[in-house]
Amino acid sequence: MPRISPIFRLAIGLILLTVSLLLVGDLLGLTPDQTRAELKARKVIAEALAVQVSTDVSEQRVEVVAETLQALQERNDDVLSVGLRRGDGRLVAMAGEHVEHWDPSVGKRSTASQVRVPIHGEDGPWGVVEVAFEPLDSLWVALLKGQSIATIILFVALSGFG
């Protein structure tokens, strides 16, 4: 059986200790979370849009709503489509290929790529604003883009061993 040198064992031990410290730091929330920041930004976009649309709907300006939806969709690369749906399910205004991008099987809850925000008119609930976003990157894509804690761990492990 080949004997492992003490230098190699020491290097592996130090790398494992460093990687474990990085993982604990991530677990404690000390590292920035790109996914959480992206989800928060999507929520802010959808809620701001809903406030604007709600104001326009209460003032009976549906043509302005269509322009607002179009402007949002054109100016934000992550927004695939936007739709304004009445309470009865009828699509009143849309920007982009909303019928193609919106999956109604998700139901009434929002997901990472489909955000629904209810809007209210003067008489109460009026409908919902639906925003379809690009799907978030998977762990492997984030790793390749260098946007993951796994990228930092891999770098520290390889460079620390070297």
Side-chain angles (χ1 to χ4, degrees), residues 1-13 161:
M1 177 181 257
R3 185 172 157 95
I4 300 174
S5 75
I7 295 174
F8 182 78
R9 284 188 287 180
L10 186 60
I12 293 296
F161 184 74

Side-chain angles (χ1 to χ4, degrees), residues 88-162:
D88 61 5
R90 187 171 47 108
L91 199 58
V92 178
M94 70 175 178
E97 299 293 328
H98 192 65
V99 175
E100 178 184 321
H101 294 295
W102 188 260
D103 182 11
S105 67
V106 172
K108 296 189 181 218
R109 61 183 173 81
S110 292
T111 65
S113 58
Q114 290 193 172
V115 179
R116 294 173 42 102
V117 182
I119 61 167
H120 300 278
E122 292 178 355
D123 302 331
W126 190 89
V128 293
V129 172
E130 302 170 339
V131 185
F133 290 96
E134 286 278 352
L136 292 175
D137 292 334
S138 68
L139 176 64
W140 293 109
V141 174
L143 183 66
L144 291 174
K145 287 182 176 180
Q147 299 173 341
S148 168
I149 185 67
T151 307
I152 296 169
I153 290 172
L154 187 62
F155 169 76
V156 168
L158 293 177
S159 61
F161 184 74

Side-chain angles (χ1 to χ4, degrees), residues 54-118:
S54 183
T55 303
D56 291 336
V57 164
S58 67
E59 296 174 1
Q60 305 295 323
R61 297 185 303 178
V62 178
E63 69 282 348
V64 175
V65 170
E67 293 172 10
T68 303
L69 300 182
Q70 189 68 33
L72 174 73
Q73 195 266 331
E74 288 174 354
R75 292 179 181 160
N76 193 325
D77 294 336
D78 287 340
V79 175
L80 297 174
S81 67
V82 188
L84 174 62
R85 195 175 300 270
R86 291 206 50 133
D88 61 5
R90 187 171 47 108
L91 199 58
V92 178
M94 70 175 178
E97 299 293 328
H98 192 65
V99 175
E100 178 184 321
H101 294 295
W102 188 260
D103 182 11
S105 67
V106 172
K108 296 189 181 218
R109 61 183 173 81
S110 292
T111 65
S113 58
Q114 290 193 172
V115 179
R116 294 173 42 102
V117 182

